[in-house]
Amino acid sequence: MASAVRAVIFDFDGTLLDSVDLHAQAWVEAFAHFGIETEHAKVRSQIGKGGDQLLPVFVDRDRVKREGKAMEAYRSDLFKRNFLDKVRPFPGVRPLFERIRTEGQTIALASSGKADEVAHYKELLDIADLVSVTTTSDDAERSKPFPDIFASALAKLAPLNAWDSLVVGDTAYDVQAAAKAGLPTIGVLCGGVSETELRTAGCVAIASDPQDLCDRYGESPLAR
């Protein structure tokens, strides 16, 4: 963190959007459709991973091979039908992005979501004009805690690199994935993960939510 931050890479769910419980409920209902009983809290603790990493926590390996793609497709369709319009932004997202851009820094979005969902979220957050780079599930072979999505964002940010950049995320999976890509992470608490867990995972700083990070921009790692 000694060099100036020139690019900020943001996670979506739980970081910019109040969507974690909605994603968890969609998974619970999708699992139930396939005869798999799960608990909301246990599923919620896995949100931040993509389906490729979440499914094996609840489904045996052989069944994942047979039905994993069908389960993911069902969950995705269910989320779009019943939950997508319930997602709301956390406070302060656009003001934070405006501050970052005013400081001459580049903004990237790193999501494991589908391209159409990401496009919807950018419109919901009113940030499309402030974002220079966007990655989706199409840009990563493996989801967090693997580093693929952040590595893809860095590739699109070139010639900026990991030394110039940092991540803002809400889960230990964000921190782990970012670290594997050589990126430090500011953790936000609005996704429901405790400060202790985020600091243990390796966060270099903690903020309550995007508004808090905006209000304290000058004392955060963003200003270094």
Side-chain angles (χ1 to χ4, degrees):
M1 293 301 298
S3 62
V5 174
R6 298 173 62 193
V8 188
I9 306 171
F10 285 89
D11 169 59
F12 258 123
D13 294 303
T15 299
L16 305 177
L17 298 161
D18 188 2
S19 55
V20 175
D21 281 308
L22 298 174
H23 279 293
Q25 188 58 34
W27 273 113
V28 169
E29 293 182 18
F31 282 134
H33 176 79
F34 287 88
I36 301 167
E37 185 176 344
T38 54
E39 296 178 16
H40 186 277
K42 290 183 179 179
V43 176
R44 193 189 196 283
S45 72
Q46 300 297 315
I47 301 300
K49 298 177 177 179
D52 61 318
Q53 302 302 312
L54 185 149
L55 277 170
V57 177
F58 302 97
V59 184
D60 69 75
R61 183 179 302 178
D62 289 339
R63 191 170 182 188
V64 169
K65 289 180 180 179
R66 293 195 313 269
E67 299 181 78
K69 289 184 179 180
M71 290 179 183
E72 286 195 67
Y74 183 88
R75 186 221 63 88
S76 179
D77 183 63
L78 176 68
F79 184 82
K80 290 173 186 176
R81 290 198 323 267
N82 295 349
F83 298 98
L84 184 62
D85 63 353
K86 299 177 183 177
V87 175
R88 295 292 180 266
F90 285 123
V93 175
R94 184 169 177 90
L96 172 60
F97 279 29
E98 289 176 335
R99 175 65 187 272
I100 291 170
R101 288 295 299 270
T102 297
E103 297 293 335
Q105 296 163 316
T106 299
I107 296 172
L109 302 176
S111 172
S112 298
K114 303 295 184 183
D116 56 346
E117 287 183 28
V118 172
H120 171 78
Y121 290 151
K122 287 166 73 173
E123 182 177 350
L124 177 66
L125 291 161
D126 188 25
I127 56 172
D129 59 315
L130 302 173
V131 174
S132 299
V133 165
T134 302
T135 60
T136 70
S137 59
D138 293 332
D139 300 300
E141 183 177 343
R142 302 165 300 178
S143 68
K144 303 164 190 172
F146 288 96
D148 300 28
I149 200 72
F150 292 128
S152 177
L154 284 172
K156 292 186 178 186
L157 283 165
L160 300 181
N161 55 49
W163 295 103
D164 303 314
S165 310
L166 61 72
V167 167
V168 180
D170 71 300
T171 70
Y173 310 125
D174 294 317
V175 187
Q176 293 160 6
K180 292 169 186 173
L183 292 156
T185 301
I186 297 175
V188 289
L189 302 176
C190 44
V193 177
S194 71
E195 180 172 353
T196 298
E197 183 174 345
L198 289 174
R199 288 196 181 278
T200 299
C203 283
V204 298
I206 300 291
S208 297
D209 56 22
Q211 185 65 64
D212 182 43
L213 187 54
C214 183
D215 293 342
R216 297 192 291 124
Y217 175 95
E219 61 192 74
S220 78
L222 293 174
R224 294 178 188 171

